[in-house]
Amino acid sequence: EITEQAKRGLERLHQSSYDEVSKLGNAYWGLVHQDYGWSNGQMGKDGMWIIDLDGVAFDLPIRDLRKLISGTMADLYRWDATWVREMIKAYDEANPLTKELYEILLIDLAMPNEFYKNIKEIVYEPEAFLGEETKLLIQTIVDTDRSKWPVLEDIQNDWKGRG
């Protein structure tokens, strides 16, 4: 199931405007955190500070948005169309999304990100990681992931008709 999701996502990415959008280059897109989560923003007396910068890289700006959405949905153990829409709307107000970026965001959201994020530990410590806890983790990821498809279908047309 996970492999098929990844294959479909890669196929969609190849059919998308990703190559054209990425050719705009690093100077156009700028830096992204790459591992952004709610705990990486710290409020200081002079405003918000972003911490934990060890993964910062040049990339498309929606990478951090995808991480916030998929991470929050994993924390909720289900996908919620209203929450996803509001998050995208808030992001769009500060950093306007183009139709192309929205399309790439949907492709990125459809990827099995949470599975790969959690399962990578097997590579480092397979004996310690494989067991009942891993079985439950994988089942939770799969169940949560199944709830994302109706949400992604529901929001896929939100950007149609926009400039």
Side-chain angles (χ1 to χ4, degrees), residues 15-41:
Q15 295 170 357
S16 75
S17 58
Y18 177 78
D19 285 339
E20 296 162 32
V21 168
S22 63
K23 285 178 186 173
L24 294 172
N26 294 342
Y28 183 83
W29 294 115
L31 295 172
V32 295
H33 192 276
Q34 296 283 49
D35 188 29
Y36 197 72
W38 299 110
S39 63
N40 293 130

PDB file of all heavy atoms in Angstrom, residues 15-41:
ATOM      1  N   GLN A  15       4.342  14.353 -13.859  1.00  0.00           N
ATOM      2  CA  GLN A  15       3.325  14.927 -14.746  1.00  0.00           C
ATOM      3  C   GLN A  15       2.966  16.361 -14.359  1.00  0.00           C
ATOM      4  O   GLN A  15       2.252  17.028 -15.089  1.00  0.00           O
ATOM      5  CB  GLN A  15       2.059  14.061 -14.735  1.00  0.00           C
ATOM      6  CG  GLN A  15       2.267  12.691 -15.309  1.00  0.00           C
ATOM      7  CD  GLN A  15       1.077  11.773 -15.066  1.00  0.00           C
ATOM      8  OE1 GLN A  15       0.110  12.153 -14.415  1.00  0.00           O
ATOM      9  NE2 GLN A  15       1.162  10.568 -15.579  1.00  0.00           N
ATOM     10  N   SER A  16       3.457  16.812 -13.245  1.00  0.00           N
ATOM     11  CA  SER A  16       3.124  18.149 -12.745  1.00  0.00           C
ATOM     12  C   SER A  16       4.083  19.193 -13.309  1.00  0.00           C
ATOM     13  O   SER A  16       4.967  18.895 -14.104  1.00  0.00           O
ATOM     14  CB  SER A  16       3.192  18.169 -11.213  1.00  0.00           C
ATOM     15  OG  SER A  16       4.548  18.175 -10.784  1.00  0.00           O
ATOM     16  N   SER A  17       3.932  20.400 -12.829  1.00  0.00           N
ATOM     17  CA  SER A  17       4.811  21.504 -13.230  1.00  0.00           C
ATOM     18  C   SER A  17       6.052  21.596 -12.342  1.00  0.00           C
ATOM     19  O   SER A  17       6.754  22.612 -12.368  1.00  0.00           O
ATOM     20  CB  SER A  17       4.022  22.814 -13.183  1.00  0.00           C
ATOM     21  OG  SER A  17       3.516  23.009 -11.883  1.00  0.00           O
ATOM     22  N   TYR A  18       6.338  20.547 -11.587  1.00  0.00           N
ATOM     23  CA  TYR A  18       7.463  20.570 -10.644  1.00  0.00           C
ATOM     24  C   TYR A  18       8.782  20.961 -11.315  1.00  0.00           C
ATOM     25  O   TYR A  18       9.516  21.796 -10.796  1.00  0.00           O
ATOM     26  CB  TYR A  18       7.612  19.221  -9.937  1.00  0.00           C
ATOM     27  CG  TYR A  18       8.800  19.178  -9.013  1.00  0.00           C
ATOM     28  CD1 TYR A  18       8.740  19.787  -7.761  1.00  0.00           C
ATOM     29  CD2 TYR A  18       9.997  18.570  -9.397  1.00  0.00           C
ATOM     30  CE1 TYR A  18       9.835  19.776  -6.918  1.00  0.00           C
ATOM     31  CE2 TYR A  18      11.086  18.558  -8.560  1.00  0.00           C
ATOM     32  CZ  TYR A  18      11.005  19.158  -7.322  1.00  0.00           C
ATOM     33  OH  TYR A  18      12.086  19.159  -6.485  1.00  0.00           O
ATOM     34  N   ASP A  19       9.095  20.359 -12.459  1.00  0.00           N
ATOM     35  CA  ASP A  19      10.363  20.669 -13.126  1.00  0.00           C
ATOM     36  C   ASP A  19      10.445  22.152 -13.478  1.00  0.00           C
ATOM     37  O   ASP A  19      11.480  22.788 -13.257  1.00  0.00           O
ATOM     38  CB  ASP A  19      10.540  19.820 -14.392  1.00  0.00           C
ATOM     39  CG  ASP A  19      10.905  18.373 -14.078  1.00  0.00           C
ATOM     40  OD1 ASP A  19      11.400  18.111 -12.958  1.00  0.00           O
ATOM     41  OD2 ASP A  19      10.695  17.512 -14.946  1.00  0.00           O
ATOM     42  N   GLU A  20       9.368  22.699 -14.004  1.00  0.00           N
ATOM     43  CA  GLU A  20       9.351  24.122 -14.379  1.00  0.00           C
ATOM     44  C   GLU A  20       9.488  25.004 -13.142  1.00  0.00           C
ATOM     45  O   GLU A  20      10.249  25.978 -13.140  1.00  0.00           O
ATOM     46  CB  GLU A  20       8.046  24.457 -15.096  1.00  0.00           C
ATOM     47  CG  GLU A  20       7.846  23.740 -16.409  1.00  0.00           C
ATOM     48  CD  GLU A  20       6.382  23.777 -16.844  1.00  0.00           C
ATOM     49  OE1 GLU A  20       5.695  24.760 -16.537  1.00  0.00           O
ATOM     50  OE2 GLU A  20       5.954  22.805 -17.481  1.00  0.00           O
ATOM     51  N   VAL A  21       8.743  24.679 -12.105  1.00  0.00           N
ATOM     52  CA  VAL A  21       8.755  25.474 -10.878  1.00  0.00           C
ATOM     53  C   VAL A  21      10.131  25.419 -10.214  1.00  0.00           C
ATOM     54  O   VAL A  21      10.661  26.440  -9.769  1.00  0.00           O
ATOM     55  CB  VAL A  21       7.647  24.982  -9.914  1.00  0.00           C
ATOM     56  CG1 VAL A  21       7.807  25.570  -8.541  1.00  0.00           C
ATOM     57  CG2 VAL A  21       6.282  25.303 -10.483  1.00  0.00           C
ATOM     58  N   SER A  22      10.731  24.243 -10.163  1.00  0.00           N
ATOM     59  CA  SER A  22      12.031  24.123  -9.502  1.00  0.00           C
ATOM     60  C   SER A  22      13.138  24.825 -10.287  1.00  0.00           C
ATOM     61  O   SER A  22      14.142  25.226  -9.704  1.00  0.00           O
ATOM     62  CB  SER A  22      12.383  22.652  -9.274  1.00  0.00           C
ATOM     63  OG  SER A  22      12.510  21.962 -10.491  1.00  0.00           O
ATOM     64  N   LYS A  23      12.960  25.010 -11.585  1.00  0.00           N
ATOM     65  CA  LYS A  23      13.963  25.714 -12.401  1.00  0.00           C
ATOM     66  C   LYS A  23      14.066  27.196 -12.043  1.00  0.00           C
ATOM     67  O   LYS A  23      15.021  27.857 -12.424  1.00  0.00           O
ATOM     68  CB  LYS A  23      13.654  25.556 -13.888  1.00  0.00           C
ATOM     69  CG  LYS A  23      14.010  24.185 -14.414  1.00  0.00           C
ATOM     70  CD  LYS A  23      13.655  24.056 -15.878  1.00  0.00           C
ATOM     71  CE  LYS A  23      13.900  22.622 -16.336  1.00  0.00           C
ATOM     72  NZ  LYS A  23      13.424  22.404 -17.702  1.00  0.00           N
ATOM     73  N   LEU A  24      13.097  27.710 -11.316  1.00  0.00           N
ATOM     74  CA  LEU A  24      13.183  29.109 -10.886  1.00  0.00           C
ATOM     75  C   LEU A  24      14.384  29.318  -9.972  1.00  0.00           C
ATOM     76  O   LEU A  24      14.866  30.432  -9.823  1.00  0.00           O
ATOM     77  CB  LEU A  24      11.884  29.544 -10.206  1.00  0.00           C
ATOM     78  CG  LEU A  24      10.666  29.588 -11.125  1.00  0.00           C
ATOM     79  CD1 LEU A  24       9.405  29.824 -10.328  1.00  0.00           C
ATOM     80  CD2 LEU A  24      10.836  30.644 -12.204  1.00  0.00           C
ATOM     81  N   GLY A  25      14.824  28.260  -9.315  1.00  0.00           N
ATOM     82  CA  GLY A  25      16.087  28.272  -8.590  1.00  0.00           C
ATOM     83  C   GLY A  25      16.030  28.708  -7.148  1.00  0.00           C
ATOM     84  O   GLY A  25      15.029  29.217  -6.648  1.00  0.00           O
ATOM     85  N   ASN A  26      17.157  28.468  -6.487  1.00  0.00           N
ATOM     86  CA  ASN A  26      17.295  28.737  -5.056  1.00  0.00           C
ATOM     87  C   ASN A  26      17.073  30.195  -4.692  1.00  0.00           C
ATOM     88  O   ASN A  26      16.436  30.501  -3.687  1.00  0.00           O
ATOM     89  CB  ASN A  26      18.682  28.305  -4.578  1.00  0.00           C
ATOM     90  CG  ASN A  26      18.882  26.815  -4.671  1.00  0.00           C
ATOM     91  OD1 ASN A  26      17.921  26.052  -4.774  1.00  0.00           O
ATOM     92  ND2 ASN A  26      20.125  26.381  -4.641  1.00  0.00           N
ATOM     93  N   ALA A  27      17.604  31.099  -5.493  1.00  0.00           N
ATOM     94  CA  ALA A  27      17.455  32.525  -5.178  1.00  0.00           C
ATOM     95  C   ALA A  27      15.991  32.944  -5.203  1.00  0.00           C
ATOM     96  O   ALA A  27      15.564  33.797  -4.430  1.00  0.00           O
ATOM     97  CB  ALA A  27      18.267  33.364  -6.157  1.00  0.00           C
ATOM     98  N   TYR A  28      15.206  32.323  -6.075  1.00  0.00           N
ATOM     99  CA  TYR A  28      13.787  32.653  -6.171  1.00  0.00           C
ATOM    100  C   TYR A  28      13.018  32.094  -4.970  1.00  0.00           C
ATOM    101  O   TYR A  28      12.205  32.792  -4.374  1.00  0.00           O
ATOM    102  CB  TYR A  28      13.210  32.086  -7.472  1.00  0.00           C
ATOM    103  CG  TYR A  28      11.755  32.433  -7.682  1.00  0.00           C
ATOM    104  CD1 TYR A  28      11.401  33.668  -8.229  1.00  0.00           C
ATOM    105  CD2 TYR A  28      10.737  31.557  -7.320  1.00  0.00           C
ATOM    106  CE1 TYR A  28      10.073  34.011  -8.417  1.00  0.00           C
ATOM    107  CE2 TYR A  28       9.407  31.890  -7.507  1.00  0.00           C
ATOM    108  CZ  TYR A  28       9.080  33.107  -8.055  1.00  0.00           C
ATOM    109  OH  TYR A  28       7.766  33.446  -8.227  1.00  0.00           O
ATOM    110  N   TRP A  29      13.271  30.853  -4.613  1.00  0.00           N
ATOM    111  CA  TRP A  29      12.491  30.194  -3.561  1.00  0.00           C
ATOM    112  C   TRP A  29      13.005  30.473  -2.163  1.00  0.00           C
ATOM    113  O   TRP A  29      12.248  30.628  -1.238  1.00  0.00           O
ATOM    114  CB  TRP A  29      12.441  28.682  -3.794  1.00  0.00           C
ATOM    115  CG  TRP A  29      11.684  28.354  -5.030  1.00  0.00           C
ATOM    116  CD1 TRP A  29      12.176  27.770  -6.159  1.00  0.00           C
ATOM    117  CD2 TRP A  29      10.309  28.621  -5.297  1.00  0.00           C
ATOM    118  NE1 TRP A  29      11.192  27.660  -7.104  1.00  0.00           N
ATOM    119  CE2 TRP A  29      10.025  28.170  -6.600  1.00  0.00           C
ATOM    120  CE3 TRP A  29       9.281  29.201  -4.572  1.00  0.00           C
ATOM    121  CZ2 TRP A  29       8.768  28.283  -7.179  1.00  0.00           C
ATOM    122  CZ3 TRP A  29       8.034  29.302  -5.148  1.00  0.00           C
ATOM    123  CH2 TRP A  29       7.796  28.854  -6.433  1.00  0.00           C
ATOM    124  N   GLY A  30      14.297  30.500  -1.973  1.00  0.00           N
ATOM    125  CA  GLY A  30      14.851  30.771  -0.649  1.00  0.00           C
ATOM    126  C   GLY A  30      14.940  29.537   0.227  1.00  0.00           C
ATOM    127  O   GLY A  30      14.865  28.403  -0.236  1.00  0.00           O
ATOM    128  N   LEU A  31      15.086  29.781   1.510  1.00  0.00           N
ATOM    129  CA  LEU A  31      15.312  28.714   2.478  1.00  0.00           C
ATOM    130  C   LEU A  31      14.006  28.193   3.077  1.00  0.00           C
ATOM    131  O   LEU A  31      13.064  28.946   3.277  1.00  0.00           O
ATOM    132  CB  LEU A  31      16.209  29.217   3.612  1.00  0.00           C
ATOM    133  CG  LEU A  31      17.627  29.598   3.231  1.00  0.00           C
ATOM    134  CD1 LEU A  31      18.328  30.267   4.402  1.00  0.00           C
ATOM    135  CD2 LEU A  31      18.413  28.382   2.768  1.00  0.00           C
ATOM    136  N   VAL A  32      14.022  26.915   3.381  1.00  0.00           N
ATOM    137  CA  VAL A  32      12.942  26.298   4.157  1.00  0.00           C
ATOM    138  C   VAL A  32      13.583  25.531   5.309  1.00  0.00           C
ATOM    139  O   VAL A  32      14.746  25.142   5.249  1.00  0.00           O
ATOM    140  CB  VAL A  32      12.049  25.363   3.303  1.00  0.00           C
ATOM    141  CG1 VAL A  32      11.308  26.138   2.243  1.00  0.00           C
ATOM    142  CG2 VAL A  32      12.845  24.251   2.690  1.00  0.00           C
ATOM    143  N   HIS A  33      12.822  25.319   6.332  1.00  0.00           N
ATOM    144  CA  HIS A  33      13.305  24.671   7.542  1.00  0.00           C
ATOM    145  C   HIS A  33      13.540  23.176   7.323  1.00  0.00           C
ATOM    146  O   HIS A  33      14.487  22.616   7.821  1.00  0.00           O
ATOM    147  CB  HIS A  33      12.284  24.899   8.669  1.00  0.00           C
ATOM    148  CG  HIS A  33      12.787  24.537  10.020  1.00  0.00           C
ATOM    149  ND1 HIS A  33      12.752  23.254  10.498  1.00  0.00           N
ATOM    150  CD2 HIS A  33      13.323  25.303  11.006  1.00  0.00           C
ATOM    151  CE1 HIS A  33      13.243  23.230  11.727  1.00  0.00           C
ATOM    152  NE2 HIS A  33      13.598  24.472  12.059  1.00  0.00           N
ATOM    153  N   GLN A  34      12.665  22.524   6.599  1.00  0.00           N
ATOM    154  CA  GLN A  34      12.705  21.098   6.241  1.00  0.00           C
ATOM    155  C   GLN A  34      12.239  20.163   7.363  1.00  0.00           C
ATOM    156  O   GLN A  34      11.980  19.008   7.116  1.00  0.00           O
ATOM    157  CB  GLN A  34      14.086  20.643   5.763  1.00  0.00           C
ATOM    158  CG  GLN A  34      14.547  21.285   4.498  1.00  0.00           C
ATOM    159  CD  GLN A  34      13.902  20.713   3.253  1.00  0.00           C
ATOM    160  OE1 GLN A  34      12.701  20.558   3.172  1.00  0.00           O
ATOM    161  NE2 GLN A  34      14.718  20.420   2.278  1.00  0.00           N
ATOM    162  N   ASP A  35      12.186  20.639   8.578  1.00  0.00           N
ATOM    163  CA  ASP A  35      11.698  19.807   9.680  1.00  0.00           C
ATOM    164  C   ASP A  35      10.850  20.666  10.612  1.00  0.00           C
ATOM    165  O   ASP A  35      10.914  20.553  11.819  1.00  0.00           O
ATOM    166  CB  ASP A  35      12.874  19.182  10.435  1.00  0.00           C
ATOM    167  CG  ASP A  35      12.406  18.164  11.466  1.00  0.00           C
ATOM    168  OD1 ASP A  35      11.345  17.533  11.255  1.00  0.00           O
ATOM    169  OD2 ASP A  35      13.090  18.004  12.497  1.00  0.00           O
ATOM    170  N   TYR A  36      10.075  21.544  10.008  1.00  0.00           N
ATOM    171  CA  TYR A  36       9.346  22.519  10.801  1.00  0.00           C
ATOM    172  C   TYR A  36       8.179  21.872  11.541  1.00  0.00           C
ATOM    173  O   TYR A  36       7.441  21.069  10.990  1.00  0.00           O
ATOM    174  CB  TYR A  36       8.829  23.654   9.911  1.00  0.00           C
ATOM    175  CG  TYR A  36       8.446  24.864  10.700  1.00  0.00           C
ATOM    176  CD1 TYR A  36       9.422  25.653  11.274  1.00  0.00           C
ATOM    177  CD2 TYR A  36       7.120  25.196  10.889  1.00  0.00           C
ATOM    178  CE1 TYR A  36       9.082  26.766  12.023  1.00  0.00           C
ATOM    179  CE2 TYR A  36       6.776  26.312  11.641  1.00  0.00           C
ATOM    180  CZ  TYR A  36       7.758  27.082  12.200  1.00  0.00           C
ATOM    181  OH  TYR A  36       7.415  28.169  12.945  1.00  0.00           O
ATOM    182  N   GLY A  37       8.045  22.228  12.787  1.00  0.00           N
ATOM    183  CA  GLY A  37       6.939  21.792  13.625  1.00  0.00           C
ATOM    184  C   GLY A  37       6.592  22.922  14.568  1.00  0.00           C
ATOM    185  O   GLY A  37       7.301  23.942  14.645  1.00  0.00           O
ATOM    186  N   TRP A  38       5.518  22.752  15.290  1.00  0.00           N
ATOM    187  CA  TRP A  38       5.049  23.825  16.171  1.00  0.00           C
ATOM    188  C   TRP A  38       6.078  24.205  17.223  1.00  0.00           C
ATOM    189  O   TRP A  38       6.166  25.361  17.632  1.00  0.00           O
ATOM    190  CB  TRP A  38       3.739  23.412  16.838  1.00  0.00           C
ATOM    191  CG  TRP A  38       2.672  23.164  15.827  1.00  0.00           C
ATOM    192  CD1 TRP A  38       2.127  21.952  15.493  1.00  0.00           C
ATOM    193  CD2 TRP A  38       2.024  24.121  14.984  1.00  0.00           C
ATOM    194  NE1 TRP A  38       1.190  22.106  14.498  1.00  0.00           N
ATOM    195  CE2 TRP A  38       1.108  23.428  14.173  1.00  0.00           C
ATOM    196  CE3 TRP A  38       2.136  25.498  14.830  1.00  0.00           C
ATOM    197  CZ2 TRP A  38       0.303  24.056  13.231  1.00  0.00           C
ATOM    198  CZ3 TRP A  38       1.336  26.127  13.886  1.00  0.00           C
ATOM    199  CH2 TRP A  38       0.424  25.407  13.106  1.00  0.00           C
ATOM    200  N   SER A  39       6.897  23.262  17.654  1.00  0.00           N
ATOM    201  CA  SER A  39       7.883  23.555  18.702  1.00  0.00           C
ATOM    202  C   SER A  39       9.100  24.307  18.177  1.00  0.00           C
ATOM    203  O   SER A  39       9.938  24.735  18.960  1.00  0.00           O
ATOM    204  CB  SER A  39       8.339  22.259  19.368  1.00  0.00           C
ATOM    205  OG  SER A  39       8.987  21.429  18.430  1.00  0.00           O
ATOM    206  N   ASN A  40       9.220  24.475  16.857  1.00  0.00           N
ATOM    207  CA  ASN A  40      10.376  25.170  16.290  1.00  0.00           C
ATOM    208  C   ASN A  40      10.186  26.684  16.206  1.00  0.00           C
ATOM    209  O   ASN A  40      11.086  27.392  15.748  1.00  0.00           O
ATOM    210  CB  ASN A  40      10.711  24.639  14.902  1.00  0.00           C
ATOM    211  CG  ASN A  40      11.207  23.210  14.943  1.00  0.00           C
ATOM    212  OD1 ASN A  40      10.720  22.377  14.211  1.00  0.00           O
ATOM    213  ND2 ASN A  40      12.146  22.923  15.812  1.00  0.00           N
ATOM    214  N   GLY A  41       9.053  27.175  16.633  1.00  0.00           N
ATOM    215  CA  GLY A  41       8.826  28.609  16.708  1.00  0.00           C
ATOM    216  C   GLY A  41       8.803  29.032  18.165  1.00  0.00           C
ATOM    217  O   GLY A  41       8.043  28.488  18.959  1.00  0.00           O
TER     218      GLY A  41
END
